[in-house]
Amino acid sequence: MKELRTQVAIIGAGPAGLLLGHILHEQGIDNIVLERRDRPYVEARVRAGVIEYGIAKFLEENGVGERMLRQGLKHDGVELRFDRTSYRIALTELNGGKPITVYGQQEVVKDLIALRVGYDAPLMFETEVTNLDGLTTDAPFIEADTPDGKVRITCDYIAGCDGTFGPASKAIPASLKKQFDRIYPFSWLGIIAQAAPSTEELIYCRHERGFALYSMRSPTVSRLYLGVPNDEKLEDWTDDQIWDELDVRLATEEVPHITRGPILEKGITTMRSIVIEPMRYGRLFLAGDAAHIVPPTGAKGMNLAIGDVRELSRALIAKFKKNEDALLESYSDTCLERVWRAEEFSTYMTQMLHPNPTDDFENGVQLARLRQSVKSPGATETLARNYVDLNSL
Ligand code: FAS
Ligand code: PHB
């Protein structure tokens, strides 16, 4: 087995792992990023689309924002549509001039990979981590299968940025770990289409037939979602049926039909919440989806992951540069306070925007919550602040 040594071993080349690796590299802290998939797969994976103001600033401050600033779409508002009426939330105005940025997660990942390849730091694709050990010693190690055989990497710290199904969180002993789970009774059928968006800003829509979201990736590419039952099969939906249902749910008198075009990608994502406590075990630190999942209704997934990296990078830099442990010691509690706030906001947005086909009382409560969110100034401001900058509040 090939032996390697580094200061920080990072499992996963999603936004969390790649950004952590980049920030540590910039500080002269050796690290290796290990990714089980190949580069084309990771760069093509379509996921999040909204970047919070403070998170975009953090990316920019760390030299990852050049293309985002050029190609990302700055948005000053978002629309809630229900009771066949549209209500605009003036995000920037309610946040002291701070907008959101619409820029696909896969673009952030491409930018981070390009940086890492550019300065030739270790980024091992098609390398699956199979074991983490020595986590409570001062020489933890990971073992992985690579295209050239097995490798063991000894390090000072391990960052588990391996998403929901990765091995890192499973390395925390069950007796020391709590996992909080919620599965929602619906999923999102999402499409990416070569079609100029019929709207300037995102539209979150609660229609009696179900949820719909109108987002975008560029002036010529739309990103749209339909709330569907959990057992829905993608093959049961033709492209026309998807467009027709989007029309029904999103139509208004002014815009009776949304712009259609070739569907480039489609998929169904389950809606779930997960929180794992603690986010640390000995020399192992979890960041991103490895530690938590939020339903995408609040657009918090990637923002939360980058929020964790902001904490973990600060903590590791303090340790390596000044031999200070305080931020490492407080990492889990600091992150979990923010994670639970994101879970609360994502649950709030999810519960009020997805009609319940079997519970009219629940539907009544949802509509009351939606009406309050657009008619009560305090509720509107809270929604705007959480949507734009939750991870930096
Ligand atoms: P990621 O899951 O992005 O990255 C983890 C990486 O670890 C992966 O590349 C994986 O291959 C790798 N890995 C796993 N096990 C490994 C092993 N044993 N060895 C080596 N590598 C390993 N969020 C939103 O805000 N809006 C959305 O619309 C949205 N849509 C989503 C759709 C889907 C299908 C999914 C799954 C998530 C979606 N999310 C969305 C959430 C998503 O954006 C995550 O929050 C974000 O990817 C988190 O980034 P990471 O923590 O880096 O995890
Ligand atoms: C997206 O553009 O993919 C997107 C936007 C907002 C969300 C979820 C997904 O809440």
Side-chain angles (χ1 to χ4, degrees):
M1 180 180 302
K2 185 177 176 185
E3 300 271 349
L4 295 172
R5 173 87 184 69
T6 188
Q7 289 176 288
V8 182
I10 300 172
I11 311 173
L18 288 166
L19 181 60
L20 179 64
H22 171 66
I23 295 171
L24 296 180
H25 170 85
E26 293 296 282
Q27 292 290 325
I29 298 169
D30 286 342
N31 64 88
I32 298 178
V33 177
L34 302 99
E35 169 55 51
R36 69 181 172 172
R37 301 284 191 169
D38 63 21
R39 180 173 177 179
Y41 180 95
V42 169
E43 291 190 339
R45 202 167 37 193
V46 174
R47 286 191 171 163
V50 169
I51 302 178
E52 290 182 3
Y53 174 80
I55 297 298
K57 276 278 169 240
F58 184 67
L59 288 170
E60 205 185 319
E61 287 157 8
N62 285 283
V64 194
E66 189 275 327
R67 192 161 70 99
M68 177 183 68
L69 290 171
R70 215 164 6 94
Q71 295 178 9
L73 305 172
K74 287 277 188 299
H75 279 201
D76 296 323
V78 68
E79 189 183 301
L80 296 187
R81 186 173 294 173
F82 59 96
D83 291 344
R84 284 179 175 42
T85 310
S86 296
Y87 300 88
R88 182 172 186 268
I89 308 283
L91 297 175
T92 303
E93 189 183 311
L94 291 166
N95 275 282
K98 297 174 182 175
I100 55 168
T101 300
V102 176
Y103 186 68
Q105 173 175 318
Q106 74 271 35
E107 304 311 324
V108 176
V109 166
K110 280 180 206 165
D111 295 341
L112 285 162
I113 290 175
L115 280 169
R116 195 160 181 97
V117 169
Y119 46 65
D120 199 21
L123 170 51
M124 300 170 70
F125 287 108
E126 297 178 86
T127 295
E128 176 145 20
V129 171
T130 52
N131 183 36
L132 295 80
D133 214 332
L135 300 178
T136 56
T137 72
D138 58 6
F141 63 89
I142 59 175
E143 291 169 337
D145 294 334
T146 83
D148 306 319
K150 289 189 179 297
V151 66
R152 171 182 289 202
I153 300 176
T154 307
C155 52
D156 297 318
Y157 293 96
I158 298 171
C161 303
D162 48 344
T164 319
F165 306 106
S169 63
K170 299 171 185 63
I172 302 178
S175 59
L176 300 177
K177 180 172 65 178
K178 271 195 287 186
Q179 178 160 329
F180 304 82
D181 261 302
R182 172 169 290 188
I183 298 267
Y184 294 88
F186 32 74
S187 299
W188 279 12
L189 187 161
I191 65 170
I192 291 253
Q194 194 68 44
S198 317
T199 172
E200 293 285 311
E201 296 175 333
L202 272 70
I203 302 171
Y204 287 84
C205 175
R206 181 191 184 284
H207 185 279
E208 57 267 20
R209 287 169 64 99
F211 170 81
L213 170 59
Y214 205 148
S215 183
M216 64 287 290
R217 287 293 177 272
S218 75
T220 60
V221 177
S222 294
R223 173 66 159 151
L224 297 128
Y225 297 89
L226 283 173
V228 295
N230 263 342
D231 53 3
E232 203 75 345
K233 300 277 180 294
L234 198 54
E235 53 269 23
D236 294 343
W237 287 78
T238 65
D239 291 2
D240 283 345
Q241 284 170 329
I242 294 172
W243 287 116
D244 292 346
E245 189 62 27
L246 284 164
D247 261 351
V248 167
R249 297 187 192 181
L250 287 164
T252 58
E253 279 171 33
E254 303 77 49
V255 185
H257 298 288
I258 60 178
T259 315
R260 300 189 180 196
I263 293 181
L264 310 174
E265 287 258 346
K266 54 183 164 182
I268 292 185
T269 304
T270 51
M271 303 283 279
R272 58 188 304 194
S273 287
I274 294 177
V275 178
I276 290 173
E277 295 185 0
M279 290 175 54
R280 176 213 183 156
Y281 173 64
R283 295 295 184 101
L284 169 64
F285 290 81
L286 305 181
D289 277 20
H292 41 69
I293 296 290
V294 284
T297 329
K300 290 303 158 206
M302 180 172 66
N303 291 294
L304 210 43
I306 294 175
D308 293 346
V309 168
R310 183 166 51 189
E311 298 299 333
L312 185 53
S313 56
R314 282 176 186 157
L316 289 168
I317 291 164
K319 177 62 184 173
F320 284 112
K321 300 277 188 180
K322 298 182 273 185
N323 197 26
E324 287 173 1
D325 292 306
L327 292 178
L328 284 175
E329 294 304 316
S330 62
Y331 170 75
S332 181
D333 289 345
T334 303
C335 284
L336 283 168
E337 188 276 331
R338 180 173 40 84
V339 167
W340 279 109
R341 268 193 291 120
E343 291 290 354
E344 186 281 329
F345 177 68
S346 304
T347 303
Y348 163 80
M349 289 288 281
T350 301
Q351 285 181 330
M352 72 179 180
L353 284 162
H354 291 76
N356 185 320
T358 59
D359 185 339
D360 282 341
F361 179 81
E362 169 68 17
N363 290 326
V365 168
Q366 287 176 4
L367 285 166
R369 197 171 286 156
L370 268 169
R371 291 174 190 131
Q372 175 171 254
S373 67
V374 298
K375 293 179 179 169
S376 152
T380 307
E381 187 186 340
T382 301
L383 189 156
R385 284 165 53 79
N386 280 324
Y387 194 83
V388 170
D389 229 7
L390 182 145
N391 280 282
S392 305
L393 294 179

